[in-house]
Amino acid sequence: MKKPVAILLMGPTASGKTAVALELARRFPVELVSVDSAQVFRDMNVGTAKPDAVTLSEFPHHLIDVITPEETYSAERFRLDALRAMTEITARGRVPLLVGGTMLYFKALLEGLAELPEADTATRAAIDRQAAEQGWPNVHSELAQVDPETAARLHPTDAQRIQRALEVFRLTGRPLSTLIAENRSETPPFDFVSIGLAPSERSILHERIARRFDAMLQAGLEAEVETLRTKYRLDAGRPSMRCVGYRQVWEVIEGLAPRGEMRVRGIFATRQLAKRQLTWLNNTLRPEVFDCLAPELASRVIRRVAPVFNAVE
């Protein structure tokens, strides 16, 4: 039997994914599925660039506002939730359009996940103590000795992923990269059309990132973080508060960083995120790439996917 079609639209932050996705939704019978590890959190709207209520009313998104900021969401859970949503969408005679910038989620969807040990509280606490004493760059150096492949794709201050990779090694005695490589591919029963948005000039994307972060600050990002701190039991170690933007605001509120550096630190962290996203895009996922800075970007993507819907009909 012929596989149902699913469209993947991926790219770094500020590449214009949402605008393109909405244009596709206006023209074709699609349903949108968010592929964003920050937009899964309820009440985190400004700093995640979540579509506003009017947009969500007109174009509902699956996998937005799934959990509270106190909870944790994993790539494994995303894969299960996404496949369930995709199956329901195709049953309605529509096409899933998965949109976002969390590249690990895309990879998990396409290839499945390795059998990894569950989180171990004692091991994580030991790594956290080590980081508190030595700094995350030193912990990253240790990871580079036992798992150079994983360390090479992680920033030296990417605490959450460094911790997990080192935890896996300490629990299993084997590198995370080796366990992932041994995982047998579990291709979902869909015919994927993968489209990537990437900038022809990185400096222009950086300008977009700066403008976007400024807009978030003006829209009340700091007030949003203050409200979250009041409404939920949060700390700096929660995945929600490790999200880019939220971490930098949290550090200012806690007095760990000067207020005057909040904007610069937030923009820098977002640029680093975009760099990692582009590395995933180019080296791992390898979609058909469109220049996100090109005039009439949406029209170009529309022309590319139109044959898909002709075939579906």
Side-chain angles (χ1 to χ4, degrees), residues 125-136 139:
I127 295 171
D128 282 337
R129 286 194 300 271
Q130 180 181 348
E133 295 171 359
Q134 303 175 9
W136 282 107
V139 180

Side-chain angles (χ1 to χ4, degrees), residues 12 25 39 51 56 63 76 81 105-107 140 203 225 236 242 245 253 271 273 278 283 286 291 303 307 311:
Q39 291 185 359
L56 290 175
L63 305 191
E76 180 180 9
D81 288 349
Y105 285 9
F106 280 115
K107 186 175 187 295
H140 180 266
S203 62
V225 176
R242 289 181 176 181
I253 293 173
R271 288 180 177 179
L273 170 62
L278 287 167
N283 297 347
R286 296 187 177 90
D291 180 7
R303 287 195 296 272

